[in-house]
Amino acid sequence: MTSRPKAPSARGKASAGGSAPILLIEDTISLQMVYRTILINAGHRVVCAATAAEGLALFNSEKPSIVLLDLTLPDRDGLDLMQDMLARQANVIVIVITANGTINKAVEAMRAGAHEFLVKPIEEGRFLSSVDNALRDTTTAPIQPRTIMRQPNDLPEGAFIGSSTVMAQVHDKIESVAQSMATVFITGESGTGKELCALAVHQNSPRKQGPFIALNCGAIPADLLESEVFGHLKGSFTGAVSDKLGAAAAADGGTLFLDEVCEMLPALQTKLLRFLQTSTVQPVGATRPRKVNVRIVCATNRDPAEAVRRGEFREDLYYRLYVIPIHMPPLRDRGEDVIEVAETALQRFAAEEGRAFTSLSPQVRSMFREMTWPGNVRQVLNVMRNVAVLYDGTEVQPYMLPDDIAARTHVPPPQAAPEPGVGLTELMGLPLAEVERRIIEATLELHAGSVPRAARVLDVSPSTLYRKLEQWAKADQPN
């Protein structure tokens, strides 16, 4: 039985100390719940609003230092709301949240004084890094870095759950390189946990008490990327309403993580190379460089050597960065890790949603082993979150899974179907429901009991077959 998720209250849980909360303004209740949970689990105090009017009222009463603002609100344009907030409290830091269709408006918001913008869907690591960076700019005290070595049930580091040989090799390499100052270059498909790997390198290094600053080079418009990396001075360009500490300077004494580094424009690649050679940064509009002490970790889901061959990435920068490579393996190459990742995520999300789930059923385990998981660990986490929000029980059953799971399962070509007409005579005179059951059972037998394969042949959703099998099993039980 499904249950509708309840909308969260306007006020989040208060953290110890009673400091100014983070104000989250997001009209999609399901996303509001997810963002709020992430922030609370990271130790932040949060207040939430679903409309501009409610958000402005909370802004006036709570005096937040950071606002997470969705630009598309039902009762007012988010950009207008942001300008009202900045007029009332000039030092507030606003992080705008936008969908792909409103990128131009997000850039406009940055020029009007926003601190940063995030594009939906937002990765949890990226989300928390943005908040950490904003908090660093609101206080003179250094922020304690987020760690990778949390308790076993504390995701998002699901990418580091598992006992496969390939992941043991990754752990060993992280432990070996963490003590060094050498640049680490992480490669791997999207969703394999590259930022988590970077966090692990940082947290196991002598710099773990310093900041960990993450910057997604592929998610920032070209005209703002230099400012994001190196900072700018007030008045250096239109929209520069205050001095901004760039990511390189913010990471002084810690680690700077450059995600999707192969998406960096050639002009900025030149400046990054100079930064690596001199360890100095020069904000936009500044006349003098500043010396910083930063360790560089970068990542890409592309083949960096191929990017060099295509002329898209400087060869000298490639050799400067590609010192210690770490490859994050795709989930399909990690064997039974998929089950460990899924059940660990399930238990955490179940606790958050007040559910009783503890494990996957044998049928679901079999399905998960068959899947190629193109979205890797991120896809598994999304599936488990979906189940925990929509259903309840102790075991995850196949009918609880999203319908597209079967479509993403690697299914071998089906065996040849029986010749037309075979067995038709014995079906004559039977009720339609019984005919349906016999055809389904025969198809399952033909495909060695695999529900996904039988569903593909019958052109129905696997969840439909699982529901029917459960119904028949209950009907066949003696009273």
Side-chain angles (χ1 to χ4, degrees), residues 17-60:
S19 59
I22 294 172
L23 172 58
L24 169 63
I25 306 175
E26 167 63 64
D27 66 319
T28 304
I29 295 301
S30 58
L31 290 177
Q32 185 188 119
M33 293 174 68
V34 171
Y35 300 156
R36 177 177 177 272
T37 299
I38 291 171
L39 290 168
I40 289 175
N41 287 346
H44 301 295
R45 180 176 170 231
V46 188
V47 292
C48 300
T51 65
E54 185 182 350
L56 189 58
L58 284 172
F59 179 82
N60 291 331

Side-chain angles (χ1 to χ4, degrees), residues 367 369-372 404-415 447 450-457 462:
M367 291 177 68
R369 292 185 185 105
E370 288 185 18
M371 285 190 63
T372 55
D404 64 346
I405 289 293
R408 294 172 181 261
T409 304
H410 176 71
V411 180
Q415 301 176 23
H447 292 279
S450 172
V451 172
R453 298 176 192 174
R456 182 70 60 85
V457 172

Side-chain angles (χ1 to χ4, degrees), residues 155-162 167 191-194 196 328 334 341 377:
L155 296 177
E157 62 273 19
F160 287 85
I161 296 167
M167 284 307 296
T192 51
K194 296 186 291 295
L196 300 173
M328 294 300 297
R334 292 174 51 185
V341 170
V377 172

Side-chain angles (χ1 to χ4, degrees), residues 94-318:
V94 180
I95 300 173
V96 299
I97 302 172
T98 179
N100 290 323
T102 54
I103 291 293
N104 290 337
K105 183 176 286 189
V107 174
E108 184 182 353
M110 293 287 288
R111 288 172 173 160
H115 181 271
E116 188 176 359
F117 76 86
L118 303 173
V119 180
K120 299 177 182 178
I122 309 169
E123 296 180 18
E124 184 169 339
R126 166 74 170 148
F127 183 73
L128 287 174
S129 292
S130 298
V131 173
D132 284 354
N133 293 347
L135 284 170
R136 181 180 175 84
D137 286 352
T138 64
T139 177
T140 55
I143 298 171
Q144 291 301 315
R146 290 186 289 112
T147 65
I148 190 65
M149 303 303 179
R150 302 186 182 108
Q151 294 301 314
N153 64 342
D154 191 12
L155 296 177
E157 62 273 19
F160 287 85
I161 296 167
S163 51
S164 62
T165 302
V166 289
M167 284 307 296
Q169 292 170 351
V170 169
H171 284 297
D172 290 344
K173 196 160 191 179
I174 289 172
E175 187 175 349
S176 298
V177 307
Q179 300 301 313
S180 167
M181 269 293 290
T183 301
V184 177
F185 202 119
I186 306 168
T187 57
E189 297 176 8
S190 179
T192 51
K194 296 186 291 295
E195 182 169 351
L196 300 173
C197 178
L199 274 165
V201 171
H202 171 78
Q203 185 59 23
N204 285 275
S205 76
R207 297 174 165 262
K208 63 183 179 181
Q209 298 303 320
F212 175 88
I213 304 298
L215 190 69
N216 189 329
C217 300
I220 301 173
D223 54 349
L224 295 176
L225 189 53
E226 182 178 358
S227 171
E228 288 295 319
V229 177
F230 299 114
H232 65 248
L233 299 185
K234 180 179 179 180
S236 57
F237 57 86
T238 302
V241 296
S242 62
D243 290 352
K244 178 178 177 61
L245 188 68
D252 194 9
T255 302
L256 175 61
F257 174 55
L258 299 174
D259 198 7
E260 305 303 343
V261 69
C262 287
E263 307 303 320
M264 188 176 286
L265 294 176
L268 195 58
Q269 291 180 31
T270 302
K271 295 186 177 182
L272 178 60
L273 181 61
R274 173 175 167 75
F275 166 58
L276 294 172
Q277 292 169 337
T278 65
S279 296
T280 61
V281 296
Q282 188 163 344
V284 178
T287 58
R288 295 183 179 180
R290 169 187 171 184
K291 195 84 171 177
V292 294
N293 179 7
V294 173
R295 182 184 190 173
I296 300 293
V297 179
C298 55
T300 182
N301 58 13
R302 298 171 57 186
D303 180 351
E306 180 62 24
V308 171
R309 285 192 290 270
R310 291 175 176 271
E312 298 168 351
F313 199 71
R314 290 182 59 124
E315 186 173 15
D316 48 1
L317 180 59
Y318 167 75

